[in-house]
């Protein structure tokens, strides 16, 4: 049977999961970390704010409601620290990192040592989801028929591989090869997806700046110069495609899987890399077995729409043409034109009509508003204005559709 286009999810108007926290929530988290309040007190504030932000999303016309990542410190959350065989560490020797990995390079250039990280210390095993409790709470604040639309974001399976130098991602006496290491990560993701599915989750988005880093000429040059590397950057990219495909190979047929690519989204609206999708487009769109791509497209650093010629007719793309990094509001008509321009390349690449191509498309901000809990250089009113704009663009292009 030929692959089918998965719809609803994704929806015509989407956002990328993370939303600005309230001042009360930020202060409460800090107080909890200092030992000044109990976990129950933190939970109470988190629950209140998640309920309120879910209601806000619904009022704005969004179907793929998230919890705003309000229970997380960073967008990648607690998946890796929750696995047996991984350990979260605060003090780590900077020499373990690839200095040309864009997020690592940004810290080093600013004179900072990369912060806390998660390292492999033993055999990797999934020992229970760290997300099912929070998903069940989010599900409890929406009508039962809307639970299937709720979106949860997950860390990229490759997240704690690319950032480490060759030979530093795992102990050699634990895993003899990348293939063995990736095999256990894939099994862990499979288990995570099944546990989420069992509590009602049907809509998953992997957040993966790493894949976009393979578009960065600066990173690629650093990779080539690194004598420790035993594989080329292209070979490593292919490894990651296989890792994804293995990780999602057992997902239930009605579970929607998307992947978000961006070039970094740190405190103060910092980005980490640049470069269009051209050099990875064929493998990304044709070989990665996801339903939907959420792509950064708000500035020239993401390149043009030409790579979308490679998008097959059974996959969706959500165009992040509205920036989440700054408050200045884009012109709605100009953004609509950009969406149509992108769809023209999809149509050209598949020899289909513009109308058919538009059926594969949605619109969103280019990234989250608070990948780090402190958030971007935009306030709540600015965020709401951006979300309204995205919804209006979608309403104009696809009237009457979620």
């Amino acid at each position: 049977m030929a692959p089918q286009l998965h719809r609803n999810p994704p929806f015509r108007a989407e956002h990328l999961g993370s939303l600005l926290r309230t001042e009360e929530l930020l202060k409460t988290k800090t107080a909890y970390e200092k030992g000044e309040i109990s976990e129950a007190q933190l939970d109470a504030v988190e629950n209140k704010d998640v309920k309120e932000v879910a209601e806000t999303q619904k009022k704005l016309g969004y179907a793929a409601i998230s919890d705003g990542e309000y229970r997380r410190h960073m967008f990648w959350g607690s998946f890796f620290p929750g696995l047996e065989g991984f350990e979260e560490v605060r003090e780590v020797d900077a020499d373990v990192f690839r200095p040309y990995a864009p997020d690592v390079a940004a810290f080093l250039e600013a004179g900072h040592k990369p912060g806390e990280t998660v390292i492999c210390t033993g055999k990797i095993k999934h020992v229970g989801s760290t997300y099912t409790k929070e998903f069940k709470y989010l599900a409890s604040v929406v009508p039962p028929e809307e639970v299937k639309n709720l979106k949860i974001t997950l860390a990229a399976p490759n997240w704690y591989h690319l950032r480490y130098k060759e030979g530093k991602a795992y102990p050699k006496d634990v895993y003899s090869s990348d293939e063995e290491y990736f095999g256990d990560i894939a099994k862990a993701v499979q288990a995570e997806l099944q546990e989420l599915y069992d509590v009602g989750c049907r809509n998953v988005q992997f957040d993966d700046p790493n894949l976009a880093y393979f578009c960065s000429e600066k990173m690629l040059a650093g990779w080539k110069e690194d004598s420790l590397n035993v594989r080329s950057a292209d070979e490593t990219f292919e490894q990651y495609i296989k890792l994804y495909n293995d990780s999602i190979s057992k997902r239930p047929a009605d579970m929607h899987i998307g992947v978000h690519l961006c070039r970094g989204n740190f405190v103060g609206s910092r980005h980490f890399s640049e470069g269009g999708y051209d050099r990875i487009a064929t493998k990304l769109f044709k070989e990665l077995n996801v339903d939907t791509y959420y792509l950064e497209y708000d500035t020239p650093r993401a390149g043009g729409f030409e790579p979308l010629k490679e998008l097959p007719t059974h996959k969706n793309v959500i165009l992040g043409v509205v920036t989440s990094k700054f408050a200045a509001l884009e012109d709605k008509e100009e953004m609509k034109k950009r969406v149509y321009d992108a769809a023209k390349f999809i149509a050209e690449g598949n020899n289909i009509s513009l109308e058919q191509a538009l059926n594969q498309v949605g619109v969103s901000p280019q990234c989250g508003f608070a990948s780090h809990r402190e958030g971007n250089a935009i306030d709540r009113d600015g965020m709401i204005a951006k979300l309204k704009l995205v919804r209006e663009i979608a309403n104009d292009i696809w009237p009457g559709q979620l």
Side-chain angles (χ1 to χ4, degrees):
M1 182 177 171
Q4 300 295 305
L5 186 69
H6 203 298
R7 290 299 317 162
N8 295 341
F11 300 93
R12 300 305 180 194
E14 292 265 352
H15 67 76
L16 277 301
S18 70
L19 299 167
L20 293 172
R21 281 71 157 163
T22 63
E23 281 301 315
E24 180 189 14
L25 179 55
L26 291 172
K27 288 176 182 176
T28 302
K29 283 183 178 293
T30 300
Y32 172 72
E33 289 163 0
K34 289 180 177 178
E36 296 171 355
I37 63 170
S38 69
E39 187 174 352
Q41 289 172 294
L42 173 63
D43 281 345
V45 176
E46 287 178 338
N47 288 348
K48 175 178 68 72
D49 279 12
V50 167
K51 185 173 187 292
E52 288 177 359
V53 84
E55 291 169 352
T56 297
Q57 291 168 74
K58 182 156 185 163
K59 286 175 186 172
L60 290 169
Y62 285 80
I65 290 170
S66 81
D67 67 359
E69 299 180 0
Y70 278 7
R71 303 182 198 274
R72 305 184 190 184
H73 173 66
M74 296 289 285
F75 72 89
W76 52 77
S78 55
F79 173 72
F80 280 98
L83 297 177
E84 186 177 296
F86 273 102
E87 181 183 342
E88 194 165 18
V89 293
R90 298 210 169 269
E91 290 297 323
V92 63
D93 184 352
D95 192 53
V96 306
F97 298 104
R98 299 183 197 268
Y100 49 86
D103 52 322
V104 175
F107 279 105
L108 296 176
E109 287 166 10
H112 299 299
K113 189 173 82 170
E116 69 274 10
T117 192
V118 177
I119 59 171
C120 176
T121 56
K123 284 287 185 183
I124 297 163
K125 184 180 178 184
H126 191 273
V127 288
S129 174
T130 58
Y131 294 127
T132 51
K133 179 182 175 183
E134 58 194 58
F135 183 85
K136 286 194 283 187
Y137 178 77
L138 181 62
S140 76
V141 301
V142 302
E145 65 274 14
E146 294 178 14
V147 171
K148 67 183 186 299
N149 300 333
L150 300 176
K151 177 158 68 175
I152 189 164
T153 57
L154 294 181
N158 58 58
W159 184 245
Y160 287 110
H161 182 266
L162 182 136
R163 61 195 348 240
Y164 299 129
K165 288 180 180 177
E166 183 70 38
K168 300 291 186 181
Y170 49 83
K172 285 296 184 182
D173 60 345
V174 175
Y175 290 110
S176 63
S177 66
D178 281 353
E179 287 74 20
E180 191 181 357
Y181 167 79
F182 287 149
D184 278 356
I185 289 184
K187 289 175 187 173
V189 177
Q190 290 168 8
E192 180 71 32
L193 293 176
Q194 188 60 53
E195 288 197 24
L196 286 168
Y197 185 87
D198 290 344
V199 297
C201 177
R202 300 293 183 270
N203 187 11
V204 171
Q205 171 192 304
F206 287 96
D207 288 326
D208 197 341
N210 282 353
L211 295 183
Y213 291 169
F214 287 89
C215 305
S216 165
E217 292 301 328
K218 191 173 180 181
M219 205 259 319
L220 295 171
W223 191 287
K224 196 170 183 179
E225 292 166 7
D226 185 349
S227 61
L228 292 176
N229 288 326
V230 298
R231 291 179 180 84
S232 69
D234 288 343
E235 288 168 338
T236 303
F237 186 80
E238 289 170 5
Q239 278 188 303
Y240 292 170
I241 296 287
K242 184 180 186 303
L243 171 58
Y244 264 105
N245 290 343
D246 290 345
S247 296
I248 65 178
S249 61
K250 296 184 179 180
R251 53 131 170 209
D254 60 339
M255 184 177 236
H256 168 259
I257 302 285
V259 62
H260 166 53
L261 279 71
C262 77
R263 289 151 183 80
N265 193 42
F266 198 55
V267 178
S269 297
R270 175 82 185 262
H271 73 276
F272 295 137
S273 72
E274 300 185 1
Y277 300 99
D278 309 69
R279 72 178 311 277
I280 65 170
T282 301
K283 290 187 181 298
L284 178 70
F285 295 139
K286 295 191 184 301
E287 297 182 17
L288 182 59
N289 297 330
V290 299
D291 302 302
T292 301
Y293 301 89
Y294 302 84
L295 300 183
E296 175 183 9
Y297 262 124
D298 64 322
T299 68
R301 68 171 169 264
F305 295 127
E306 290 84 355
L308 295 176
K309 289 180 183 180
E310 302 291 333
L311 186 76
T313 55
H314 66 279
K315 295 184 178 183
N316 305 281
V317 62
I318 307 300
L319 301 168
V321 293
V322 172
T323 192
S324 63
K325 285 179 162 56
F326 305 104
L329 209 57
E330 291 83 354
D331 178 83
K332 184 175 75 168
E333 295 306 316
E334 185 181 332
M335 294 305 102
K336 284 163 57 179
K337 181 181 182 301
R338 297 202 73 211
V339 172
Y340 283 113
D341 287 346
K344 289 173 185 174
F345 285 107
I346 300 171
E348 181 183 338
N350 290 292
N351 196 26
I352 59 177
S353 69
L354 179 63
E355 184 179 13
Q356 288 173 305
L358 281 169
N359 192 46
Q360 297 174 239
V361 180
V363 65
S364 73
Q366 114 287 348
C367 199
F369 289 91
S371 298
H372 181 282
R373 79 181 187 200
E374 302 303 327
N376 289 351
I378 185 171
D379 63 14
R380 183 176 178 80
D381 288 344
M383 177 179 77
I384 297 297
K386 295 282 182 169
L387 293 172
K388 283 181 177 177
L389 175 61
V390 167
R391 183 67 263 182
E392 289 170 6
I393 294 167
N395 290 345
D396 284 1
I397 298 174
W398 303 278
Q401 296 189 41
L402 288 173

